[in-house]
Amino acid sequence: MLSNVSLRTRRILLAQSLCGLLLAACGESYANSAISEVVSAAPVSEAHEAGPDQQTLEVGPPPFSEDIFPCTDCHDPELEVRGKKRELKFEHTDIELTHAEENRWCLDCHDGADRDMLHLANGDVIPFEESYRLCGQCHGDKLRDWRNGVHGRRVGFWNGAKSYLLCVNCHNAHSPQFPALEPEPAPFRPVRTP
Amino acid sequence: MSGCSTIDRREFMCVAAGCAAAAMGSCSDLTHSAFFRDHLRELTKTQLDELVGELESEYSERFGREVEVGTTGPMKGVELAYALDLSRCVGCRRCVYACVEENNQSRDPQVHWIRVLEMDNERGIDFEHADAYYDAEQVPEPDKFYLPVACQQCRNPACVKTCPTGATWQEPDGITVIDYDWCIGCRCCVSACPYGARHFNWSEPELPAEELNPKTHILGNRPRTKGVVEKCTFCIHRTREGRYPACVEACPVGARKFGDLHDPDGEIRHIFENKRVFVLKAELNTRPRFYYFYGA
C-alpha cells in the first residue's frame, strides 16, 4: 500500500520531471556537485608496481592433498631412483595422467634427486610454489596472460594488491581440463498475470 | 501549468508537497527529505551528509542492523572498463548470484542484473535464439557457449538520453548511475536499453535482513523501493575504493576482468593490445565500456 501511494505521489509530482528535463539539458553544470566530487586516485600499491614482469611472483600456496607433502616423508632420499616410465601399482594409484601422457611421466616434472622439488626442462630445480614456471615452459602464452592478470582469477584491488592463484589451484596438473560445473539455478521466467 | 508561471520551482514544490503529504496519509515512514529534496547532484556537501544520515538510520531501523551508505566519488582520471573472456565463460551463473548478494537485489520478485545467455556454437552470437533459462545438470554443454550480459556502461547511453526526470546520468568515471528518489518509474530507460540491462521493481523488493549487504553506496546498492529502476553499477561501492566488482571475484574460471582504461599496465589495456575484442550491438553506436574478448 505504501508503495502504491508513493508511486502515485511521484506522478503528482510530475513537475519534478519537467525540472528534470531542464537539469538534463544543463548536465555540465554539475561539475562541482558533492555527489560527483572527484577523489584522488588511490596510491598504486607496491604489489602492483612490482607486478607481472618479474621472474617470480607472490602467489598463494600450492593445493597439496592432505598429508602428501613433504614427499620425502615417504620417498627416502637414500633410495634408488627408478627412472623408467611404468604404471604405478601401489602408491599414487589415484593419479590419472591425462596431460600429454604418451610422452611424459612423473619424473619429467617431479625431481628424482630432490623429491620435494620440481624441475624445469633445463634442469633447474624449483619449489612447488613456483610451479607456474614449469607450466609456462609449454603454455607460454597462458603464462604471459596470467602475469598480466588476464588468465585466471584475481581477488583484491584493481588498482593495487591482488592475489594470484597458481595454475594448479584451478587445473589439476595431472589432468588439467577445467572440470564441468553444476550451474546455479536459472532465473524465474516472467509470468503474465491475467 | 499557467498558474505556476509566476512561482518558482521551490514554491511549487512546497504546494505540491502539501498536497502530496495529504495524499500520503499513512506513509509516515517515508523520509521527507528523501522525497522532496533537490536532485542528488544539486545537493551541497552538508545536504548530502544530512541525507546520508537519514538514509542510514532509516535502513538501519528497517533491517535491524547497521547500514552504511557511502558517497565515494569517482577517482581522478580513471575510466572504469570491463572485459569478459567468452572463451572461458562456462555459464555457471556464479556471477549472477554473487551480484544479487552484493547489490541487495530483490529476492522475490527476483531481480538479476546479470543475465547469462546460452548460445549455439553453430549460430554464433545470435540474441534471437539465445536462452537465458537453460537448466543443464552440468555446464558447459557441448556445442554451446555462454554470454553474460549486464549494463554495458555506454559512453552514449540511450537510457540517460530518454530519462524524463534526469534521474540517471553518467559519472566522470564512466558509471551510469540512478538516483532512486528521482526515478518516477516510467520505464523509458528499460525500453531504451538495447541490452536489457535495466530492471524495474514491479512490487516491493523482498530482501531478508540477514541477507542484506550493509555496505552500500547512495548511487548503487542501497535498498530500493517498488516502482524504481535499477541496474549494474560496476559495484560502485567496491570499485571506487579500488576493489574488484563482486562478479569478477566470484567467477571460478577467471573470465571477468576489470580495471582502468587509462592505466597502460592494467589488465584492460593488455587485453586491448593482445586479444580480439568487440562490443555488443556495435552498430547502435552506444559505445560500451564493457568489452568481450576471446582470450584463448
Side-chain angles (χ1 to χ4, degrees):
Chain A
M1 191 57 206
L2 161 70
S3 339
N4 283 340
V5 174
S6 65
L7 199 61
R8 206 180 312 134
T9 319
R10 277 154 204 263
R11 287 189 188 126
I12 293 168
L13 293 180
L14 196 65
Q16 254 190 347
S17 351
L18 299 174
C19 303
L21 281 177
L22 291 173
L23 288 172
C26 50
E28 291 308 308
S29 65
Y30 292 118
N32 296 320
S33 87
I35 190 66
S36 301
E37 191 183 347
V38 173
V39 297
S40 300
V44 175
S45 82
E46 287 175 12
H48 186 52
E49 279 174 350
D53 294 327
Q54 297 209 333
Q55 180 63 25
T56 54
L57 287 165
E58 283 291 324
V59 285
F64 288 122
S65 318
E66 211 177 326
D67 299 330
I68 201 88
F69 195 82
C71 309
T72 39
D73 279 354
C74 300
H75 290 272
D76 188 339
E78 302 301 316
L79 284 178
E80 180 201 356
V81 176
R82 297 168 65 196
K84 199 166 176 309
K85 182 174 180 175
R86 64 186 188 282
E87 193 186 339
L88 301 183
K89 293 228 170 78
F90 302 105
E91 287 297 331
H92 300 309
T93 48
D94 55 323
I95 293 174
E96 190 192 349
L97 189 64
T98 51
H99 191 181
E101 63 279 8
E102 311 82 31
N103 309 318
R104 200 163 336 151
W105 80 300
C106 317
L107 297 185
D108 288 318
C109 299
H110 294 272
D111 196 63
D114 187 345
R115 289 287 183 167
D116 292 331
M117 304 286 264
L118 301 165
H119 66 243
L120 304 179
N122 65 4
D124 283 0
V125 175
I126 58 165
F128 280 88
E129 286 75 15
E130 289 173 30
S131 57
Y132 57 88
R133 294 172 62 193
L134 178 62
C135 308
Q137 294 178 125
C138 295
H139 307 284
D141 57 332
K142 299 294 182 292
L143 179 66
R144 196 162 53 240
D145 279 351
W146 177 77
R147 283 183 189 282
N148 285 293
V150 174
H151 183 105
R153 182 150 73 139
R154 295 285 173 285
V155 174
F157 291 78
W158 58 262
N159 64 352
K162 59 199 84 184
S163 73
Y164 283 63
L165 292 168
L166 284 168
C167 316
V168 287
N169 282 110
C170 300
H171 302 279
N172 183 330
H174 303 123
S175 50
Q177 173 74 43
F178 196 87
L181 296 172
E182 186 187 341
E184 296 287 330
F188 297 133
R189 277 178 196 274
V191 184
R192 189 178 288 273
T193 45
Chain B
M1 290 300 282
S2 59
C4 296
S5 58
T6 52
I7 59 170
D8 68 6
R9 176 176 178 268
R10 186 166 302 277
E11 282 177 67
F12 175 72
M13 290 297 293
C14 288
V15 175
C19 305
M24 279 156 71
S26 62
C27 308
S28 55
D29 58 338
L30 250 185
T31 316
H32 180 272
S33 61
F35 209 76
F36 297 111
R37 65 169 163 77
D38 282 333
H39 190 277
L40 207 46
R41 287 198 290 177
E42 282 185 319
L43 300 185
T44 62
K45 186 83 178 63
T46 325
Q47 290 171 317
L48 185 63
D49 290 344
E50 199 179 314
L51 174 65
V52 164
E54 282 180 25
L55 290 174
E56 283 181 342
S57 46
E58 182 198 329
Y59 298 148
S60 303
E61 194 180 331
R62 192 194 323 167
F63 291 97
R65 50 193 289 205
E66 207 162 304
V67 179
E68 178 198 333
V69 178
T71 57
T72 313
M75 289 185 197
K76 197 177 179 184
V78 165
E79 184 175 0
L80 298 171
Y82 209 112
L84 198 150
D85 189 347
L86 289 182
S87 59
R88 300 263 168 262
C89 178
V90 295
C92 69
R93 293 202 190 97
R94 303 283 191 277
C95 53
V96 175
Y97 290 90
C99 172
V100 168
E101 284 166 27
E102 183 70 31
N103 289 295
N104 295 326
Q105 275 103 310
S106 170
R107 309 304 203 260
D108 182 28
Q110 195 180 55
V111 175
H112 286 176
W113 289 356
I114 305 173
R115 177 183 298 251
V116 185
L117 302 176
E118 185 183 66
M119 301 199 182
D120 293 329
N121 281 346
E122 207 171 280
R123 288 184 187 273
I125 296 179
D126 179 352
F127 293 104
E128 299 262 316
H129 294 91
D131 177 16
Y133 303 102
Y134 62 91
D135 192 17
E137 263 175 37
Q138 288 206 314
V139 286
E141 288 209 274
D143 308 321
K144 304 280 188 193
F145 72 101
Y146 300 86
L147 188 140
V149 185
C151 177
Q152 307 283 299
Q153 311 291 359
C154 305
R155 293 177 179 81
N156 186 17
C159 52
V160 170
K161 221 179 280 181
T162 194
C163 177
T165 66
T168 183
W169 67 92
Q170 218 178 139
E171 286 276 290
D173 54 2
I175 305 178
T176 293
V177 295
I178 300 170
D179 178 350
Y180 304 117
D181 296 327
W182 269 62
C183 175
I184 57 168
C186 68
R187 308 192 294 284
C188 290
C189 58
V190 177
S191 49
C193 174
Y195 305 103
R198 286 180 167 251
H199 305 273
F200 184 64
N201 285 286
W202 288 96
S203 44
E204 198 58 44
E206 190 190 294
L207 173 61
E210 65 275 13
E211 292 179 31
L212 172 87
N213 175 8
K215 186 176 164 49
T216 73
H217 193 285
I218 194 161
L219 296 173
N221 61 340
R222 69 181 168 106
R224 277 80 69 186
T225 55
K226 175 180 176 177
V228 301
V229 170
E230 57 181 70
K231 66 168 203 70
C232 161
T233 63
F234 276 172
C235 276
I236 195 166
H237 58 293
R238 294 169 63 101
T239 51
R240 284 204 172 161
E241 290 175 3
R243 294 174 67 197
Y244 283 121
C247 50
V248 168
E249 297 198 343
C251 179
V253 296
R256 291 175 165 270
K257 303 294 159 193
F258 184 84
D260 177 16
L261 209 49
H262 300 168
D263 176 5
D265 303 319
E267 287 127 275
I268 299 294
R269 283 284 282 276
H270 179 82
I271 291 166
F272 267 44
E273 284 157 22
N274 295 285
K275 305 294 176 188
R276 291 166 290 155
V277 176
F278 65 98
V279 294
L280 294 184
K281 303 192 181 181
E283 69 278 13
L284 298 179
N285 196 31
T286 49
R287 302 174 58 225
R289 287 189 187 83
F290 197 113
Y291 300 90
Y292 294 85
F293 70 105
Y294 292 101

